[in-house]
Amino acid sequence: MRKFLFSCLLAGSVSVAGSAWAQGDYPTLSQMEQRLQKIGSSANANLQKLGQTSSGKDVWVLKVGTGDMDQKPAIAVVGGVEGFHVLSVELATQFAERLVSEHAEALEETTFYIFPNMSPDAYEQYHANLKYERRGNATAVDHDRDGMPGDNGYTDLNGDGFISWMRVEDPMGDYKVSDEDERVLVKADRSKGEDGQYLVYKESKDDDQDGKFAEDLKEGIAFNKSLTYKFPVFEPLAGDIPVSQPETRAMLDYLFEQWNIFAFVTFSPANNLSSPLKYNAPNARKRVVTSILQKDEAINAMVSEMYKSTVSQKAFQQNNQGTDGDFFQWAYFHFARLSFGTPGYWTPEFKGKSNAEANYLAWADSLGWNDVFVPWTEISHPDFPGKKVEVGGIKPFVMANPPYEKVDEIAEEHTDFILKLAEMQPNLEVQNLKIESIGNGLTRISLDLFNNAPLPTHSEMGERSRWLRKIRIDLAADSDRLISGEKIQLIDSIDAYGKASLSWIIRGKGDVNFKAGAPHAGFVNATFKL
């Protein structure tokens, strides 16, 4: 019943006249840390401080599992790659809470590394007196390279505590009022003869008098714009070099020691779950690969179908499949693991609305949410004397993050998805074992090493990059007893429900021990009695 009512609400069929946008319940950093400490006190969880941001805020990782956790296939779950995406932190944290309290059986076969919040500096802006969708950390950075860090950021021109937008009436402007909603501005299509009416800027002043607005924000480097894959050189919020920040370096140093991770689930604007990536042959053949590889495309499509059958929300025009320097793409292209991304939440689609903002406002109107929009109000702006300047627009955070009361159901469905993904992990078994005497004191051992799983042991990117460890087969037999076959063999990959056939000839009697696997694919052990 809960899921049915939630689906109805998301579909816009439930209206609560006059109700408010109850979003302010997302936890503060200190509240979140208390929850993490509680999870870390559980028998199957370990909470570790990865490091600190330049402002001294802690960055954490939870390792959840049983036994030798680093030698089991693992999934990494990452939240807070974008500071304004406060939902992502909650989804990662609630996954950890549910994992230790409700799903202990999943820990027998799988380890989970959970990074709840990689942008604590930016996350804090949600609870600040001045609210805006911040991406960067607290490092002082001169984004416009004029010798003065952070000297032209946002300004709350109407004093409402939010940074929204300002529009300036100007026939040379690129924007016009949307035909779908008069509160929304869209770019004028010059090819269709449309005239622009407004210049549009984030709410700000030209403090450094260089003719630009909000080009040197009072924030530093964005975690999700500073990774090594397609690093956006010389762009604001990226930094001078990739992985320049202590929190980013600490996370990557940690990950490079975790050979057992086979997949990532990143809660971020990037999405390849409701809209899987498509293989592009020319881009896949480039020296610097920029397309998902063909075998991995099929895996992405399969996991996408499973996601869409598990998560009830349907994406609205979700075509963000990665941006330069982001974590979601780094995990696949540079770390060679299967990488899945989802924002976890979308505004439901309203008929006749092609513009995302108009669609959102139609949904908010249907629910009676009357405080998600700042009405356009004329102000006096020092940089535009004699011109009509208005401040307004959709409030920060509300389009990317649902009201907190809706998060529990969203987190429950995404927990189910991650656990289903864990059930698909590589699973090595010994099949078709034959131990047969061939005379003269010799015994032939033959078997199939079978991957009884819908996922291969290696992503195609992992196999191609040679970053993932190969499947290693060890047969504990003395060299003078081993007549045929190798004591140690390496296999590049075993397909989903595929096999590798192996055989040896051994002289004499006694037990022979067998071990095969890799940390990210799991291990299988056997003893053969000759």
Side-chain angles (χ1 to χ4, degrees), residues 62-65 68-77 95 99 106-107 109-115 254-255 257-265 335 337-340 418 421-426 455 457 468 518-522:
L62 277 161
K63 181 163 67 172
V64 184
D68 192 351
M69 290 188 275
D70 294 336
Q71 296 299 313
K72 293 180 180 179
I75 295 176
V77 178
F95 171 70
L99 195 58
L107 307 180
E109 304 297 333
T110 311
T111 299
F112 297 89
Y113 301 98
I114 302 163
F115 303 82
Y254 183 89
L255 288 175
E257 296 296 324
Q258 310 309 319
W259 293 97
N260 58 329
I261 295 173
F262 74 91
F264 283 82
V265 175
F335 203 52
R337 269 55 166 192
L338 297 174
S339 180
F340 304 106
I418 297 171
L421 179 62
E423 292 173 357
M424 300 169 69
Q425 72 188 33
L455 292 180
T457 59
L468 287 180
H520 70 278

Side-chain angles (χ1 to χ4, degrees), residues 505-517:
I505 296 177
I506 309 292
R507 176 188 290 115
K509 301 295 183 181
D511 293 347
V512 176
N513 294 320
F514 168 88
K515 180 180 179 180

Side-chain angles (χ1 to χ4, degrees), residues 158 160 162-167 181-185 200-203 357 360-361 370-377 390-399:
N158 61 351
D160 65 352
F162 298 100
I163 295 300
S164 50
W165 295 90
M166 63 181 189
R167 64 185 189 184
D181 192 311
E182 63 181 8
R183 295 168 291 183
V184 174
L185 299 176
V200 176
Y201 307 93
K202 273 289 192 178
E203 198 175 346
E357 291 190 352
Y360 172 77
L361 289 173
N370 51 22
D371 57 353
V372 299
F373 187 86
V374 179
W376 292 106
T377 305
E390 297 169 287
V391 170
I394 295 175
K395 289 183 178 180
F397 299 107
V398 297
M399 286 188 67

Side-chain angles (χ1 to χ4, degrees), residues 249-299:
R249 180 59 184 267
M251 183 194 198
L252 266 58
D253 283 348
Y254 183 89
L255 288 175
F256 278 116
E257 296 296 324
Q258 310 309 319
W259 293 97
N260 58 329
I261 295 173
F262 74 91
F264 283 82
V265 175
T266 303
F267 294 113
S268 76
N271 167 42
N272 70 332
L273 283 174
S274 63
S275 301
L277 299 175
K278 299 298 184 183
Y279 169 69
N280 181 290
N283 290 339
R285 289 194 293 265
K286 289 180 179 178
R287 185 180 65 84
V288 177
V289 179
T290 57
S291 165
I292 190 171
L293 300 183
Q294 196 164 16
K295 291 180 181 179
D296 296 336
E297 177 194 42
I299 295 172

Side-chain angles (χ1 to χ4, degrees), residues 117-249:
N117 190 358
M118 293 309 303
S119 304
D121 290 339
Y123 178 94
E124 196 173 43
Q125 205 69 43
Y126 178 86
H127 294 283
N129 291 329
L130 182 61
K131 293 176 169 53
Y132 62 90
E133 292 188 353
R134 177 173 166 180
R135 299 184 67 192
N137 63 11
T139 299
V141 177
D142 181 15
H143 295 295
D144 62 351
R145 301 176 184 272
D146 65 354
M148 295 288 291
D151 65 343
N152 196 26
Y154 299 131
T155 304
D156 186 9
L157 298 169
N158 61 351
D160 65 352
F162 298 100
I163 295 300
S164 50
W165 295 90
M166 63 181 189
R167 64 185 189 184
V168 183
E169 278 194 1
D170 192 313
M172 300 297 291
D174 292 327
Y175 287 83
K176 72 180 193 71
V177 174
S178 169
D179 295 334
E180 296 181 6
D181 192 311
E182 63 181 8
R183 295 168 291 183
V184 174
L185 299 176
V186 296
K187 273 202 167 184
D189 189 341
R190 305 293 189 184
S191 66
K192 295 180 179 179
E194 295 178 350
D195 294 327
Q197 302 166 293
Y198 296 100
L199 300 169
V200 176
Y201 307 93
K202 273 289 192 178
E203 198 175 346
S204 57
K205 295 187 296 183
D206 184 11
D207 293 319
D208 57 1
Q209 294 298 299
D210 64 354
K212 300 177 182 178
F213 292 84
E215 83 283 359
D216 195 8
L217 300 176
K218 295 178 174 66
E219 58 186 90
I221 306 302
F223 174 84
N224 209 36
K225 199 175 181 179
S226 60
L227 277 296
T228 55
Y229 179 72
K230 297 175 72 173
F231 176 69
V233 181
F234 299 131
E235 287 190 15
L237 301 176
D240 293 331
I241 58 173
V243 197
S244 62
Q245 301 305 292
E247 62 268 33
T248 311
R249 180 59 184 267

